[in-house]
Amino acid sequence: MKKLLALLLIMLSSCTISYKFNGASINYNLIKTISISDFPIRAALVYPPLEETFTNMLKDSYTRQTQLQMVDANGDLQIEGEITGYNITPQAVGTDAYATMTRLTITVKVTFVNTKESQYDFENRTFSAYQDFSSDRMLTDVQDELITIICEEIVDLIFNATVANW
């Protein structure tokens, strides 16, 4: 009886079940690679670091959350686009008629091609996100922090639209 119990304990301790839920539903037998082009800024207002920041965050997201191999061009999945909006707008107005809150909005236009399952393709789909900040702060003081938050949200939206087909 002791041997059976010991054997059972050894078997149970060596078996582990692991679940990873990231929302991706990729057929890795069919889809092996992804290519993501740089996202140039085509907005009227330009913040130069945004292009590199956004593109790198997008690539990092797929590298971290999928088993796809990143290739320079002609991947099984292909993502390209441009940053079409970088806008600052007043949101809340105080009693003195000046804005008390300001909103930074970033808009991205994306084309997605799935060379193996074309029913998931889309062209020129727009993704947008924003963050509000107090108008008593200068944009230059909060810009990098806001861009990180906004880009993370847009990257999540794009990830879900491209590989979370459920």
Side-chain angles (χ1 to χ4, degrees):
M1 183 66 169
K2 287 183 183 181
K3 288 182 182 183
L4 181 61
L5 184 59
L7 182 61
L8 184 60
L9 285 173
I10 290 170
M11 288 176 51
L12 288 175
S13 66
S14 65
C15 296
T16 59
I17 298 173
S18 174
Y19 292 102
K20 181 179 178 189
F21 181 76
N22 63 15
S25 58
I26 300 169
N27 180 352
Y28 289 106
N29 294 322
L30 192 61
I31 299 169
K32 309 239 184 256
T33 61
I34 184 169
S35 56
I36 299 176
S37 300
D38 289 342
F39 276 66
I41 301 172
R42 303 280 190 249
L45 184 60
V46 175
Y47 181 60
L50 178 58
E51 178 179 341
E52 183 177 354
T53 299
F54 179 77
T55 302
N56 287 340
M57 288 178 82
L58 189 60
K59 289 178 179 180
D60 288 348
S61 177
Y62 286 88
T63 302
R64 279 191 330 261
Q65 297 183 67
T66 71
Q67 299 170 18
L68 298 173
Q69 179 184 356
M70 188 70 61
V71 295
D72 291 334
N74 301 319
D76 296 329
L77 302 181
Q78 301 167 12
I79 300 173
E80 63 181 42
E82 59 190 15
I83 299 165
T84 57
Y86 186 84
N87 303 310
I88 301 162
T89 53
Q91 291 304 301
V93 178
T95 56
D96 57 1
Y98 288 103
T100 58
M101 292 298 290
T102 303
R103 176 170 289 171
L104 174 61
T105 305
I106 298 174
T107 305
V108 177
K109 190 184 299 184
V110 178
T111 296
F112 172 68
V113 175
N114 183 328
T115 63
K116 307 295 184 185
E117 300 172 307
S118 62
Q119 70 269 25
Y120 299 118
D121 293 359
F122 58 81
E123 189 171 343
N124 295 326
R125 185 179 296 180
T126 300
F127 299 89
S128 185
Y130 64 86
Q131 282 291 306
D132 294 338
F133 63 98
S134 175
S135 295
D136 63 359
R137 299 183 71 193
M138 296 293 296
L139 176 62
T140 54
D141 295 336
V142 295
Q143 192 164 224
D144 290 331
E145 176 186 346
L146 296 177
I147 285 172
T148 299
I149 295 167
I150 295 168
C151 286
E152 284 175 354
E153 186 174 338
I154 294 173
V155 164
D156 285 345
L157 292 170
I158 294 169
F159 184 88
N160 288 334
T162 56
V163 296
N165 304 317
W166 45 275

